[in-house]
Amino acid sequence: MTKVDLLREQGLENMDIAEEWLLADSAWWGGRSWFGRCALRLRNGEPAGSAPVAAEDVPAGARTRRLGGTVLPGLRDAHVHSGLVDLRSVRSGGIAEVHDLGSAPDVLAALRVDDPTLPRAQVVGAFLTAPRGYPSDRSWAAAGSFREVLSPLDAEAAVGEQQQVGAHAIKVALNSDAGPVLRDSALAAIVSAAHDAGLPVIAHVEGEGTMRQAYDKGIDRLAHTPWTERVDEGLLADAAQRMSWISTLDIHGFGTDTPQLRTATDNLRRFVEHGGTIHYGTDLGNGPLPPGVNPREVTALLAAGLTPDDVLTAMTDLRSPVPPCWVPGGLDRTPSRFADSLSSAQVVDPVAPDLPA
């Protein structure tokens, strides 16, 4: 007897076995959209509707799973180096999606494997940098994780190479404290080639003048909140209208106060006050950062003026096809307890229909 025959025998022949409903005590689903007792429709383990609905609106006979707690969109870390961390630990720590911002080809190939124990991944390919530029001199930068761009003519080829490995964005390194940086003409050519291909450009900016260079040449996102200089108010206001920033505050002290953390926090606070968009990211692989949701990063964002709802917005993208997350004990939105509560989040694992073979 087939599974269809069994479903027909039970009067459930119209049930979609790829679909289920999660039943939760509460949910947050973008902006300031909080729900009480509710249900979230999943298809193949991913949200299939626009938002949770009242639990009593679940269709009769539908497959349901009781989770309790608080359901959230899939949580994302927008700055990870997959070759330097255990991604299974990252997923078990509550992160459903990672953005790899620079890894070697063999690492990127492993991310393309359909493995439910790993977070979903988007990649940029290699760092594009100046000849002998950062991170070519770093011990952690494996062969193939950076690509030196020799000239404006070389820029289009460099961007095309990253497209071949499935890049969702292009990353450039502008670190004047560590060595040469891309000339304006080469950087402009990279940005032009990337934008022509429909890809945004992310920049690592470090050192005097690099924030200005990134803005002037059309960079779309910063890989880190600037920390080596206090960004000029006018530049900051302009950048807030066109750029987004990835937070990475905790790398400046790993829980202790430092001048770099204070500078970054001040820049981030003013950027947000001007309307700038922040993405939660940790630079995971860079120092003693916890895998999964980092409560210190969350606490730093709160200290910079973000609300708990703002932090959740920075950690999620409702358009991204990733599994949802949930906080088993319910998410405590009290600012003093929010970070620790959120760090208990888990990714919702798919459950196969319980049908006879």
Side-chain angles (χ1 to χ4, degrees), residues 285-353:
N286 178 6
L289 298 168
V293 177
N294 181 347
R296 298 193 307 253
E297 188 72 30
V298 173
T299 298
L301 286 169
L302 295 174
L306 275 68
T307 67
D309 284 347
D310 293 334
V311 172
L312 292 173
T313 299
M315 296 183 75
T316 57
D317 182 349
L318 297 179
R319 302 164 300 176
S320 189
V322 299
C325 291
W326 67 298
V327 179
L331 183 59
D332 190 334
R333 296 154 62 189
T334 306
S336 61
R337 296 191 291 270
F338 176 72
D340 286 338
S341 179
L342 186 59
S343 69
S344 68
Q346 300 176 21
V347 181
V348 176
D349 288 315
V351 175

Short mmCIF file of all heavy atoms in Angstrom, two decimals, residues 285-353:
data_model
loop_
_atom_site.label_atom_id
_atom_site.label_comp_id
_atom_site.label_asym_id
_atom_site.label_seq_id
_atom_site.Cartn_x
_atom_site.Cartn_y
_atom_site.Cartn_z
N GLY A 285 35.15 33.59 13.58
CA GLY A 285 36.44 33.07 13.12
C GLY A 285 37.57 33.99 13.50
O GLY A 285 38.75 33.63 13.45
N ASN A 286 37.23 35.21 13.93
CA ASN A 286 38.20 36.22 14.33
C ASN A 286 38.20 36.33 15.85
O ASN A 286 37.47 37.15 16.42
CB ASN A 286 37.86 37.57 13.68
CG ASN A 286 38.81 38.69 14.09
OD1 ASN A 286 39.80 38.47 14.77
ND2 ASN A 286 38.47 39.90 13.69
N GLY A 287 38.99 35.50 16.52
CA GLY A 287 39.12 35.59 17.97
C GLY A 287 38.08 34.78 18.72
O GLY A 287 37.28 34.05 18.13
N PRO A 288 38.05 34.92 20.05
CA PRO A 288 37.20 34.08 20.91
C PRO A 288 35.73 34.52 20.92
O PRO A 288 35.24 35.09 21.90
CB PRO A 288 37.84 34.25 22.29
CG PRO A 288 38.44 35.62 22.26
CD PRO A 288 38.94 35.81 20.84
N LEU A 289 35.06 34.26 19.82
CA LEU A 289 33.64 34.59 19.69
C LEU A 289 32.82 33.30 19.84
O LEU A 289 33.18 32.26 19.29
CB LEU A 289 33.36 35.20 18.32
CG LEU A 289 34.07 36.52 18.03
CD1 LEU A 289 33.94 36.87 16.54
CD2 LEU A 289 33.51 37.65 18.88
N PRO A 290 31.71 33.35 20.55
CA PRO A 290 30.89 32.14 20.71
C PRO A 290 30.20 31.78 19.41
O PRO A 290 29.69 32.66 18.71
CB PRO A 290 29.89 32.54 21.80
CG PRO A 290 29.78 34.02 21.69
CD PRO A 290 31.15 34.49 21.29
N PRO A 291 30.16 30.50 19.06
CA PRO A 291 29.37 30.11 17.89
C PRO A 291 27.89 30.28 18.18
O PRO A 291 27.45 30.19 19.33
CB PRO A 291 29.74 28.63 17.70
CG PRO A 291 30.13 28.17 19.07
CD PRO A 291 30.78 29.35 19.74
N GLY A 292 27.13 30.56 17.16
CA GLY A 292 25.70 30.79 17.37
C GLY A 292 25.44 32.24 17.72
O GLY A 292 26.24 33.14 17.45
N VAL A 293 24.28 32.49 18.32
CA VAL A 293 23.92 33.85 18.71
C VAL A 293 24.89 34.33 19.78
O VAL A 293 25.09 33.67 20.80
CB VAL A 293 22.47 33.90 19.24
CG1 VAL A 293 22.13 35.31 19.72
CG2 VAL A 293 21.49 33.45 18.16
N ASN A 294 25.52 35.48 19.54
CA ASN A 294 26.52 36.04 20.46
C ASN A 294 25.85 37.07 21.36
O ASN A 294 25.52 38.18 20.92
CB ASN A 294 27.64 36.70 19.66
CG ASN A 294 28.73 37.28 20.54
OD1 ASN A 294 28.57 37.42 21.75
ND2 ASN A 294 29.86 37.64 19.94
N PRO A 295 25.63 36.74 22.65
CA PRO A 295 24.94 37.70 23.53
C PRO A 295 25.72 38.99 23.73
O PRO A 295 25.12 40.05 23.98
CB PRO A 295 24.75 36.93 24.84
CG PRO A 295 25.78 35.84 24.81
CD PRO A 295 25.96 35.49 23.36
N ARG A 296 27.06 38.93 23.61
CA ARG A 296 27.84 40.17 23.76
C ARG A 296 27.60 41.11 22.59
O ARG A 296 27.54 42.33 22.76
CB ARG A 296 29.33 39.84 23.90
CG ARG A 296 29.68 39.00 25.12
CD ARG A 296 31.18 38.98 25.36
NE ARG A 296 31.94 38.58 24.19
CZ ARG A 296 32.56 37.40 24.03
NH1 ARG A 296 32.47 36.48 24.97
NH2 ARG A 296 33.25 37.14 22.93
N GLU A 297 27.48 40.56 21.38
CA GLU A 297 27.17 41.40 20.21
C GLU A 297 25.80 42.03 20.36
O GLU A 297 25.60 43.21 20.07
CB GLU A 297 27.24 40.57 18.93
CG GLU A 297 27.13 41.39 17.65
CD GLU A 297 28.39 42.21 17.35
OE1 GLU A 297 29.51 41.78 17.74
OE2 GLU A 297 28.24 43.29 16.75
N VAL A 298 24.84 41.25 20.84
CA VAL A 298 23.49 41.77 21.05
C VAL A 298 23.51 42.87 22.10
O VAL A 298 22.91 43.94 21.92
CB VAL A 298 22.54 40.64 21.46
CG1 VAL A 298 21.17 41.19 21.85
CG2 VAL A 298 22.40 39.61 20.34
N THR A 299 24.23 42.65 23.20
CA THR A 299 24.33 43.66 24.26
C THR A 299 24.97 44.93 23.73
O THR A 299 24.55 46.06 24.06
CB THR A 299 25.13 43.10 25.44
OG1 THR A 299 24.44 41.97 25.99
CG2 THR A 299 25.32 44.14 26.52
N ALA A 300 26.01 44.79 22.89
CA ALA A 300 26.67 45.96 22.32
C ALA A 300 25.73 46.75 21.42
O ALA A 300 25.75 47.99 21.40
CB ALA A 300 27.91 45.53 21.55
N LEU A 301 24.89 46.06 20.68
CA LEU A 301 23.92 46.76 19.82
C LEU A 301 22.89 47.50 20.66
O LEU A 301 22.50 48.63 20.33
CB LEU A 301 23.23 45.75 18.90
CG LEU A 301 24.09 45.22 17.75
CD1 LEU A 301 23.41 44.04 17.06
CD2 LEU A 301 24.40 46.32 16.75
N LEU A 302 22.45 46.90 21.75
CA LEU A 302 21.53 47.59 22.65
C LEU A 302 22.19 48.84 23.24
O LEU A 302 21.57 49.90 23.36
CB LEU A 302 21.07 46.65 23.76
CG LEU A 302 20.22 45.43 23.35
CD1 LEU A 302 19.99 44.53 24.55
CD2 LEU A 302 18.90 45.86 22.73
N ALA A 303 23.47 48.70 23.61
CA ALA A 303 24.20 49.83 24.17
C ALA A 303 24.38 50.96 23.16
O ALA A 303 24.54 52.13 23.54
CB ALA A 303 25.57 49.37 24.68
N ALA A 304 24.34 50.62 21.87
CA ALA A 304 24.47 51.63 20.82
C ALA A 304 23.13 52.28 20.48
O ALA A 304 23.07 53.12 19.57
CB ALA A 304 25.06 51.00 19.57
N GLY A 305 22.08 51.89 21.18
CA GLY A 305 20.81 52.56 21.00
C GLY A 305 19.74 51.76 20.28
O GLY A 305 18.61 52.24 20.12
N LEU A 306 20.05 50.53 19.84
CA LEU A 306 19.02 49.72 19.19
C LEU A 306 18.08 49.15 20.24
O LEU A 306 18.47 48.87 21.37
CB LEU A 306 19.65 48.57 18.39
CG LEU A 306 20.11 48.90 16.96
CD1 LEU A 306 21.29 49.85 16.98
CD2 LEU A 306 20.46 47.62 16.20
N THR A 307 16.82 48.97 19.88
CA THR A 307 15.85 48.31 20.73
C THR A 307 15.89 46.81 20.46
O THR A 307 16.46 46.36 19.44
CB THR A 307 14.43 48.82 20.45
OG1 THR A 307 14.05 48.41 19.12
CG2 THR A 307 14.37 50.34 20.55
N PRO A 308 15.28 45.97 21.31
CA PRO A 308 15.20 44.55 20.99
C PRO A 308 14.57 44.28 19.62
O PRO A 308 15.06 43.42 18.87
CB PRO A 308 14.35 43.98 22.14
CG PRO A 308 14.73 44.85 23.31
CD PRO A 308 14.85 46.23 22.71
N ASP A 309 13.53 45.03 19.26
CA ASP A 309 12.94 44.86 17.93
C ASP A 309 13.94 45.22 16.83
O ASP A 309 14.00 44.56 15.79
CB ASP A 309 11.69 45.72 17.78
CG ASP A 309 10.47 45.15 18.50
OD1 ASP A 309 10.52 43.98 18.91
OD2 ASP A 309 9.48 45.88 18.66
N ASP A 310 14.72 46.26 17.06
CA ASP A 310 15.74 46.66 16.08
C ASP A 310 16.78 45.56 15.90
O ASP A 310 17.24 45.29 14.78
CB ASP A 310 16.46 47.93 16.52
CG ASP A 310 15.57 49.16 16.53
OD1 ASP A 310 14.58 49.20 15.78
OD2 ASP A 310 15.88 50.09 17.32
N VAL A 311 17.18 44.93 17.00
CA VAL A 311 18.18 43.86 16.93
C VAL A 311 17.63 42.68 16.13
O VAL A 311 18.32 42.11 15.26
CB VAL A 311 18.60 43.41 18.34
CG1 VAL A 311 19.50 42.17 18.27
CG2 VAL A 311 19.33 44.54 19.06
N LEU A 312 16.38 42.31 16.40
CA LEU A 312 15.78 41.21 15.64
C LEU A 312 15.70 41.56 14.15
O LEU A 312 15.94 40.70 13.29
CB LEU A 312 14.40 40.89 16.19
CG LEU A 312 14.37 40.28 17.59
CD1 LEU A 312 12.93 40.17 18.09
CD2 LEU A 312 15.05 38.91 17.62
N THR A 313 15.38 42.80 13.85
CA THR A 313 15.35 43.22 12.45
C THR A 313 16.73 43.10 11.82
O THR A 313 16.87 42.67 10.66
CB THR A 313 14.84 44.68 12.34
OG1 THR A 313 13.51 44.74 12.87
CG2 THR A 313 14.84 45.16 10.90
N ALA A 314 17.78 43.45 12.57
CA ALA A 314 19.15 43.36 12.07
C ALA A 314 19.61 41.93 11.86
O ALA A 314 20.57 41.68 11.12
CB ALA A 314 20.10 44.07 13.04
N MET A 315 18.92 40.98 12.50
CA MET A 315 19.33 39.58 12.45
C MET A 315 18.50 38.74 11.49
O MET A 315 18.76 37.53 11.35
CB MET A 315 19.22 38.95 13.84
CG MET A 315 20.14 39.55 14.87
SD MET A 315 20.04 38.71 16.49
CE MET A 315 20.96 37.20 16.14
N THR A 316 17.54 39.33 10.81
CA THR A 316 16.61 38.54 10.01
C THR A 316 16.33 39.20 8.67
O THR A 316 16.53 40.39 8.48
CB THR A 316 15.26 38.35 10.75
OG1 THR A 316 14.71 39.64 11.07
CG2 THR A 316 15.43 37.55 12.03
N ASP A 317 15.84 38.38 7.74
CA ASP A 317 15.37 38.86 6.44
C ASP A 317 14.18 38.00 6.07
O ASP A 317 14.33 36.81 5.75
CB ASP A 317 16.47 38.74 5.39
CG ASP A 317 16.05 39.28 4.02
OD1 ASP A 317 14.86 39.55 3.82
OD2 ASP A 317 16.93 39.39 3.14
N LEU A 318 12.99 38.56 6.12
CA LEU A 318 11.78 37.79 5.88
C LEU A 318 11.73 37.22 4.47
O LEU A 318 10.96 36.30 4.19
CB LEU A 318 10.54 38.65 6.14
CG LEU A 318 10.35 39.15 7.57
CD1 LEU A 318 9.09 40.00 7.67
CD2 LEU A 318 10.29 38.00 8.55
N ARG A 319 12.54 37.76 3.57
CA ARG A 319 12.55 37.25 2.18
C ARG A 319 13.47 36.05 2.01
O ARG A 319 13.43 35.38 0.98
CB ARG A 319 13.01 38.36 1.24
CG ARG A 319 12.17 39.63 1.26
CD ARG A 319 12.90 40.78 0.62
NE ARG A 319 14.15 41.07 1.32
CZ ARG A 319 15.03 41.98 0.94
NH1 ARG A 319 14.80 42.71 -0.14
NH2 ARG A 319 16.14 42.17 1.63
N SER A 320 14.28 35.75 2.99
CA SER A 320 15.29 34.70 2.85
C SER A 320 14.68 33.33 3.11
O SER A 320 14.03 33.12 4.14
CB SER A 320 16.44 34.95 3.83
OG SER A 320 17.52 34.08 3.57
N PRO A 321 14.86 32.37 2.21
CA PRO A 321 14.25 31.05 2.36
C PRO A 321 15.05 30.16 3.31
O PRO A 321 15.75 29.23 2.90
CB PRO A 321 14.27 30.50 0.94
CG PRO A 321 15.49 31.12 0.33
CD PRO A 321 15.60 32.50 0.93
N VAL A 322 14.94 30.43 4.60
CA VAL A 322 15.67 29.66 5.60
C VAL A 322 14.69 29.18 6.67
O VAL A 322 13.62 29.77 6.86
CB VAL A 322 16.80 30.49 6.25
CG1 VAL A 322 17.82 30.91 5.20
CG2 VAL A 322 16.25 31.70 6.98
N PRO A 323 15.05 28.12 7.40
CA PRO A 323 14.16 27.64 8.47
C PRO A 323 13.99 28.71 9.54
O PRO A 323 14.89 29.51 9.80
CB PRO A 323 14.90 26.42 9.02
CG PRO A 323 15.87 26.02 7.96
CD PRO A 323 16.25 27.28 7.25
N PRO A 324 12.85 28.72 10.22
CA PRO A 324 12.65 29.65 11.33
C PRO A 324 13.45 29.23 12.56
O PRO A 324 14.00 28.12 12.61
CB PRO A 324 11.15 29.58 11.58
CG PRO A 324 10.78 28.19 11.17
CD PRO A 324 11.67 27.87 10.00
N CYS A 325 13.49 30.11 13.53
CA CYS A 325 14.11 29.80 14.82
C CYS A 325 13.05 29.91 15.92
O CYS A 325 11.95 30.42 15.69
CB CYS A 325 15.27 30.77 15.11
SG CYS A 325 16.69 30.52 14.04
N TRP A 326 13.39 29.42 17.11
CA TRP A 326 12.46 29.57 18.22
C TRP A 326 13.25 29.63 19.53
O TRP A 326 14.38 29.12 19.62
CB TRP A 326 11.43 28.44 18.26
CG TRP A 326 11.96 27.07 18.57
CD1 TRP A 326 12.86 26.34 17.85
CD2 TRP A 326 11.59 26.24 19.68
NE1 TRP A 326 13.08 25.12 18.43
CE2 TRP A 326 12.31 25.03 19.55
CE3 TRP A 326 10.72 26.41 20.75
CZ2 TRP A 326 12.20 23.99 20.48
CZ3 TRP A 326 10.61 25.37 21.66
CH2 TRP A 326 11.33 24.18 21.53
N VAL A 327 12.69 30.31 20.49
CA VAL A 327 13.27 30.42 21.83
C VAL A 327 12.39 29.58 22.75
O VAL A 327 11.24 29.95 23.03
CB VAL A 327 13.31 31.88 22.29
CG1 VAL A 327 13.89 31.97 23.70
CG2 VAL A 327 14.12 32.73 21.32
N PRO A 328 12.89 28.42 23.20
CA PRO A 328 12.02 27.45 23.89
C PRO A 328 11.29 28.01 25.11
O PRO A 328 10.11 27.71 25.31
CB PRO A 328 13.00 26.33 24.28
CG PRO A 328 14.08 26.41 23.24
CD PRO A 328 14.23 27.87 22.94
N GLY A 329 11.96 28.82 25.91
CA GLY A 329 11.31 29.34 27.11
C GLY A 329 10.53 30.61 26.88
O GLY A 329 9.98 31.18 27.82
N GLY A 330 10.47 31.06 25.63
CA GLY A 330 9.84 32.34 25.33
C GLY A 330 10.87 33.45 25.39
O GLY A 330 11.72 33.48 26.28
N LEU A 331 10.84 34.36 24.43
CA LEU A 331 11.83 35.44 24.36
C LEU A 331 11.48 36.54 25.34
O LEU A 331 10.39 37.11 25.30
CB LEU A 331 11.88 35.99 22.93
CG LEU A 331 12.91 37.08 22.68
CD1 LEU A 331 14.32 36.59 22.99
CD2 LEU A 331 12.83 37.56 21.22
N ASP A 332 12.44 36.85 26.22
CA ASP A 332 12.27 37.93 27.19
C ASP A 332 12.72 39.23 26.54
O ASP A 332 13.91 39.40 26.25
CB ASP A 332 13.09 37.63 28.45
CG ASP A 332 12.78 38.59 29.60
OD1 ASP A 332 12.33 39.72 29.33
OD2 ASP A 332 12.99 38.20 30.77
N ARG A 333 11.81 40.15 26.32
CA ARG A 333 12.11 41.40 25.62
C ARG A 333 12.60 42.50 26.55
O ARG A 333 12.89 43.61 26.10
CB ARG A 333 10.88 41.86 24.86
CG ARG A 333 10.46 40.90 23.76
CD ARG A 333 8.98 40.99 23.44
NE ARG A 333 8.61 42.30 22.95
CZ ARG A 333 7.35 42.69 22.77
NH1 ARG A 333 6.35 41.87 23.07
NH2 ARG A 333 7.07 43.91 22.33
N THR A 334 12.72 42.21 27.84
CA THR A 334 13.28 43.19 28.76
C THR A 334 14.73 43.45 28.37
O THR A 334 15.53 42.51 28.27
CB THR A 334 13.24 42.66 30.21
OG1 THR A 334 11.90 42.26 30.52
CG2 THR A 334 13.72 43.72 31.18
N PRO A 335 15.13 44.69 28.09
CA PRO A 335 16.48 44.94 27.57
C PRO A 335 17.60 44.31 28.39
O PRO A 335 18.56 43.79 27.82
CB PRO A 335 16.56 46.48 27.57
CG PRO A 335 15.15 46.92 27.34
CD PRO A 335 14.30 45.93 28.10
N SER A 336 17.49 44.31 29.70
CA SER A 336 18.57 43.76 30.54
C SER A 336 18.67 42.24 30.44
O SER A 336 19.70 41.66 30.80
CB SER A 336 18.36 44.17 32.00
OG SER A 336 17.14 43.66 32.50
N ARG A 337 17.62 41.58 29.96
CA ARG A 337 17.62 40.13 29.86
C ARG A 337 17.52 39.61 28.42
O ARG A 337 17.59 38.40 28.18
CB ARG A 337 16.46 39.55 30.69
CG ARG A 337 16.58 39.82 32.18
CD ARG A 337 15.59 39.01 32.99
NE ARG A 337 14.21 39.44 32.78
CZ ARG A 337 13.60 40.38 33.51
NH1 ARG A 337 14.26 41.02 34.47
NH2 ARG A 337 12.34 40.71 33.28
N PHE A 338 17.35 40.53 27.50
CA PHE A 338 17.08 40.16 26.11
C PHE A 338 18.23 39.36 25.49
O PHE A 338 18.00 38.33 24.83
CB PHE A 338 16.81 41.42 25.30
CG PHE A 338 16.61 41.18 23.83
CD1 PHE A 338 15.46 40.58 23.35
CD2 PHE A 338 17.59 41.58 22.92
CE1 PHE A 338 15.27 40.37 21.99
CE2 PHE A 338 17.41 41.37 21.56
CZ PHE A 338 16.26 40.77 21.09
N ALA A 339 19.47 39.80 25.66
CA ALA A 339 20.60 39.13 24.99
C ALA A 339 20.74 37.68 25.44
O ALA A 339 20.91 36.78 24.61
CB ALA A 339 21.89 39.90 25.27
N ASP A 340 20.70 37.44 26.75
CA ASP A 340 20.82 36.06 27.23
C ASP A 340 19.64 35.21 26.79
O ASP A 340 19.80 34.03 26.44
CB ASP A 340 20.93 36.04 28.75
CG ASP A 340 22.30 36.51 29.23
OD1 ASP A 340 23.26 36.44 28.44
OD2 ASP A 340 22.41 36.95 30.40
N SER A 341 18.44 35.80 26.78
CA SER A 341 17.27 35.06 26.34
C SER A 341 17.39 34.68 24.87
O SER A 341 17.15 33.52 24.49
CB SER A 341 16.01 35.90 26.58
OG SER A 341 14.85 35.22 26.15
N LEU A 342 17.79 35.63 24.04
CA LEU A 342 17.92 35.36 22.60
C LEU A 342 19.01 34.33 22.31
O LEU A 342 18.91 33.56 21.35
CB LEU A 342 18.19 36.66 21.85
CG LEU A 342 18.21 36.58 20.32
CD1 LEU A 342 16.88 36.08 19.77
CD2 LEU A 342 18.57 37.94 19.73
N SER A 343 20.04 34.29 23.15
CA SER A 343 21.14 33.35 22.90
C SER A 343 20.73 31.90 23.13
O SER A 343 21.49 30.98 22.80
CB SER A 343 22.35 33.70 23.78
OG SER A 343 22.08 33.45 25.14
N SER A 344 19.53 31.67 23.66
CA SER A 344 19.03 30.30 23.80
C SER A 344 18.24 29.85 22.58
O SER A 344 17.66 28.75 22.57
CB SER A 344 18.16 30.18 25.05
OG SER A 344 16.96 30.91 24.91
N ALA A 345 18.20 30.66 21.53
CA ALA A 345 17.44 30.33 20.33
C ALA A 345 17.96 29.05 19.68
O ALA A 345 19.16 28.72 19.77
CB ALA A 345 17.50 31.48 19.33
N GLN A 346 17.08 28.36 19.02
CA GLN A 346 17.41 27.16 18.26
C GLN A 346 16.81 27.27 16.87
O GLN A 346 15.78 27.92 16.68
CB GLN A 346 16.85 25.90 18.94
CG GLN A 346 17.36 25.67 20.35
CD GLN A 346 16.69 24.47 21.00
OE1 GLN A 346 16.15 23.59 20.33
NE2 GLN A 346 16.72 24.43 22.33
N VAL A 347 17.46 26.62 15.90
CA VAL A 347 16.89 26.53 14.56
C VAL A 347 15.86 25.40 14.57
O VAL A 347 16.09 24.34 15.14
CB VAL A 347 17.98 26.25 13.51
CG1 VAL A 347 17.37 26.18 12.11
CG2 VAL A 347 19.06 27.33 13.56
N VAL A 348 14.72 25.65 13.96
CA VAL A 348 13.66 24.63 13.89
C VAL A 348 14.07 23.57 12.87
O VAL A 348 14.23 23.86 11.68
CB VAL A 348 12.31 25.25 13.51
CG1 VAL A 348 11.25 24.16 13.34
CG2 VAL A 348 11.88 26.26 14.56
N ASP A 349 14.26 22.35 13.32
CA ASP A 349 14.61 21.25 12.43
C ASP A 349 13.37 20.74 11.70
O ASP A 349 12.29 20.66 12.29
CB ASP A 349 15.22 20.09 13.23
CG ASP A 349 16.62 20.42 13.73
OD1 ASP A 349 17.41 20.95 12.94
OD2 ASP A 349 16.91 20.14 14.91
N PRO A 350 13.52 20.36 10.43
CA PRO A 350 12.39 19.78 9.74
C PRO A 350 12.07 18.40 10.32
O PRO A 350 12.96 17.69 10.79
CB PRO A 350 12.88 19.67 8.28
CG PRO A 350 14.36 19.61 8.39
CD PRO A 350 14.73 20.45 9.59
N VAL A 351 10.81 18.04 10.31
CA VAL A 351 10.37 16.73 10.78
C VAL A 351 9.64 16.03 9.65
O VAL A 351 8.70 16.59 9.07
CB VAL A 351 9.44 16.86 12.01
CG1 VAL A 351 8.89 15.50 12.40
CG2 VAL A 351 10.20 17.48 13.18
N ALA A 352 10.09 14.83 9.30
CA ALA A 352 9.44 14.08 8.24
C ALA A 352 8.05 13.63 8.67
O ALA A 352 7.82 13.36 9.86
CB ALA A 352 10.29 12.86 7.88
N PRO A 353 7.10 13.58 7.74
CA PRO A 353 5.76 13.11 8.10
C PRO A 353 5.81 11.73 8.71
O PRO A 353 6.54 10.85 8.23
CB PRO A 353 5.03 13.09 6.74
CG PRO A 353 5.79 14.04 5.87
CD PRO A 353 7.22 13.93 6.31
#
